[in-house]
Amino acid sequence: MTTTFLLIDLPMILEKFVLILVVVMASLGIAMYTTFAERKVAAILQDRRGPNRAGPFGILQPLADGMKLFFKEEIIPNFSSKALFVLGPGLAMLTAIMTSAVIPWGDKVHFFNRDISLQIADINIGILYIFGVLSLGVYGIMIGSWASNNKFSLLGGLRAASQIISYELAMGISLIALLMITGTLSLKEMVVQQQNGYWNVVLQPLGFLIFLICSFAECNRTPFDLPEAENELIGGYHTEYSSMKLGFYLFSEYINMFISSVVMSTLFFGGYDVPFFDEAAHADWGNWLALIGIAALMFKAVCFIFLFMWVRWTIPRFRYDQLMHLGWRILIPLALFNMLVTGGVILYFFNK
Amino acid sequence: MDFFFLQVQAQNSAENYFPIVIQILFAIGLLTLMIFGSDLLGPKRKTADKLQNFESGIEIKGNARQPIAIKYFLVAILFVLFDVEVIFFYPYAINFRALKWEGFLAVVLFVSSFLAGFIYIFKKGALKWEE
C-alpha cells in the first residue's frame, strides 16, 4: 500500500484537479449552449428565427434560462418521498458528469516542464467504465420517477428503464466487434491505432450504425423519447420537478448527448486525429498540435450533436412495441451477426 | 511477453483510478452546492394546492405505486440474464487473436446457446408488446 501512495505526488493531484475543473465546466457550458443550438436548429429547420432577444443573435439566452431555473421556487409534492426526490436528479447529473473521466480529449501538452496528459484517468478498461457509469444513469430516472408518486412519472420512468436496458444489450454486442479489431479496451490506445491506420468506421460500418441507433435510445432522444412523451405522459419522469432539479434532468440529457457524441467520435472517427495529417511528423509544434487535436475532436462532436438535432426534427416518435421490436428482434441479432462475421474475417484473412 | 505484462500491471494500479475519485468528490461537491444554492435563491410560498401531485388537473385517485404490467419486469430480468452473457464476450474479444480458430469455435458454440435462449423467450412470447 505504501508504494502506491508514494507515487501520487502533489503536482499530479493539482494537475488532475485543474483538468477535471476544465472538463466538467466545459461540458456544463457546452450542454448549456447545446440547448441554445437546439432551439436555433429547430427554428432554422422550421423556417423560424428562434431565440434572438437576449444579446446579439440571442447568444445570452442559455444564461438567462439557467438563471431562471436557479431563481424558481422548489416544489416537493406532499405525497413524494422527500430524500429520494432530491437524490434522483442529483444521481442523473452525477452519472452524466462522471462519464467524461476516461475520454482522451487530446494528446499531451507541455506546461511547467511537465507532460500533462489530456485524459483525466487513463485506465485500461476505459470503455467498460463508460458502460458501467452509463447503466447507473437508469437509477437517476427511476428513483426520481418513483419518488414523485405520480402515475405519469412512474410510467415514464418504467418506460425509460426498460428502453435503456434493452438498447444497452445491442450496444454492448456491437462494440465487441470493434474490440476484436482494436484488441484493447483503452480509449487512448484506440485513438493511437486509428491515427496510424484507418478510422474504425471504415472497418465497422454496421457496428457504427447499431451503436449510433443505441446511443439515440440511451440518451432518450427522438425517435426514442417515449419516457417524456408529452402528449401521453405530461412531462414523463420529470413531471413533478421544478427549479434546478428539473434543470438537472434537462442538463444531464444534454451532457449525455455531448459525451456520447465524443465517445462515438473517439471509437469510430479517430478521436483527436486530424484526417490526412501526420501527427508524428509535426511533433515539434508542441502544444499547438494538441490544440489542433482538441479542435478536431470538438468538430466531430459538434457534427454528431447536429445529427442528434436533425433527427429529432425529422423522424416522429416510435410506438412502444415498435421500439421493443427494433431493440430486441432486429438490433441484437444484427449485432451478433456482425460480431461473428468480423471475427471470422479477421481470423481467415489477417491472422495467419 | 513479460514486458507487456508489466505494462498492463502498471496501467491497472490504484494510482490510475485516483483521478476518478477526485472527480467524484468534485462532482458531488458541485451538485450539493447547486441544489442548496437554488433552494436558497428561490421564493417559498407553499400552498396546499401547489404541493399536490399534478395529474393533468384531474383529482388524484389513490397511490401511484400500484401493481404494474409484468412486461417491464420481464424485460429487466431478461436484460440481467443476457447482459451477463454479453460480459463474457469482452475478455474473449480482447484475447481473440491469440485464441485463433479454436477459441472462435468455442464462441460460436456459446453464441448458439445464447441464440437458443433468445429464440426460446420469443416463442414463449416474453417480449410481445402488441396486445
Side-chain angles (χ1 to χ4, degrees), chain A residues 190-200 202-203 270 273 276:
Chain A
M190 285 186 199
V191 174
V192 172
Q193 281 177 8
Q194 292 179 77
Q195 274 180 331
N196 301 327
Y198 294 109
W199 284 1
N200 286 331
V202 182
L203 310 170
D273 174 38
F276 309 114

Side-chain angles (χ1 to χ4, degrees), chain A residues 147-161:
Chain A
S148 304
N149 202 355
N150 177 326
K151 285 144 201 141
F152 295 98
S153 296
L154 192 59
L155 257 176
L158 283 171
R159 280 185 179 190

